[in-house]
Amino acid sequence: MNATEAFRKASVGHPPAEDLSDHIVLVGLGKVGTRVLAQFRTTAHQVVVIERDPHARGVSLARELGVPLLLEDAGAPGVLDRARIRQSRSLLVLTRDDGENLDIVMAAREINPRVRVVMRLYDDDFAATVSRTMRASYPDATTLPQALNYVRAGETPIAASPPSPHCPSRPP
């Protein structure tokens, strides 16, 4: 184990309980992820958070709320399993990187093809392509690639209805 891995293990809030199910996995505690986590404070949803940066703005909020926190790269082998993605109801992927977000969603769908997904995508063309591909690949699952509109509107994204085809994927 290298120094970074040792630091992350030592600074983890706490892993999710082994019997946790029907929860929401939230990836990314930057500005958007922190706002979403704060919104969950007002709901009865159970949340597991994955954030690779121990200094990200939302880590202290996650600890304050006592939510399970994995300070790891969500794309690394086994991390989504540790977040109990197979037993989760929903996945919110809110990092700043469209490609990374898609990779995480695809890995999650391999484990749990029916998980409901909200992913942050800024590139409109990429978002449209992802939406079409995900709907074709997983017709029984729900994927919302334009999540920022729901976050900006102050709504809890997990409860949002699917966006219209004319709904932009990035704020104006």
Side-chain angles (χ1 to χ4, degrees), residues 16 20 23 25 48 50 70 78-85 88:
L20 182 65
H23 60 288
V25 176
V48 173
I50 304 172
L70 302 173
V79 175
L80 290 171
D81 288 324
R82 284 192 288 284
R84 302 188 50 78
I85 194 70
S88 71

Side-chain angles (χ1 to χ4, degrees), residues 14-18 20-27 46-51 68-70 72 74 78-91 111:
H14 61 278
E18 290 186 22
L20 182 65
S21 63
D22 202 35
H23 60 288
I24 298 165
V25 176
L26 170 62
V27 179
Q46 292 183 302
V47 180
V48 173
V49 175
I50 304 172
E51 169 56 58
L69 172 63
L70 302 173
E72 301 182 61
V79 175
L80 290 171
D81 288 324
R82 284 192 288 284
R84 302 188 50 78
I85 194 70
R86 186 177 316 278
Q87 294 79 15
S88 71
R89 77 176 345 179
S90 304
L91 170 67
I111 299 167

Side-chain angles (χ1 to χ4, degrees), residues 55-72:
H55 303 292
R57 73 172 62 208
V59 169
S60 60
L61 176 61
R63 288 187 172 132
E64 176 187 318
L65 297 175
V67 301
L69 172 63
L70 302 173
L71 289 174
E72 301 182 61

Side-chain angles (χ1 to χ4, degrees), residues 47-151:
V47 180
V48 173
V49 175
I50 304 172
E51 169 56 58
R52 82 169 120 207
D53 179 3
H55 303 292
R57 73 172 62 208
V59 169
S60 60
L61 176 61
R63 288 187 172 132
E64 176 187 318
L65 297 175
V67 301
L69 172 63
L70 302 173
L71 289 174
E72 301 182 61
D73 181 345
V79 175
L80 290 171
D81 288 324
R82 284 192 288 284
R84 302 188 50 78
I85 194 70
R86 186 177 316 278
Q87 294 79 15
S88 71
R89 77 176 345 179
S90 304
L91 170 67
L92 283 72
V93 186
L94 305 176
T95 78
R96 295 179 185 147
D97 184 305
D98 286 0
E100 180 180 350
N101 290 348
L102 180 58
D103 289 344
I104 293 166
V105 168
M106 296 306 293
R109 283 278 165 85
E110 288 297 315
I111 299 167
N112 181 353
R114 298 186 64 86
V115 67
R116 184 173 178 165
V117 172
V118 176
M119 61 192 306
R120 177 184 185 186
L121 297 176
Y122 275 119
D123 182 289
D124 288 333
D125 294 332
F126 186 64
T129 300
V130 167
S131 182
R132 283 191 306 272
T133 303
M134 295 295 280
R135 289 174 200 270
S137 299
Y138 302 96
D140 296 331
T142 303
T143 302
L144 304 177
Q146 291 94 353
L148 278 183
N149 294 307
Y150 303 105
V151 174

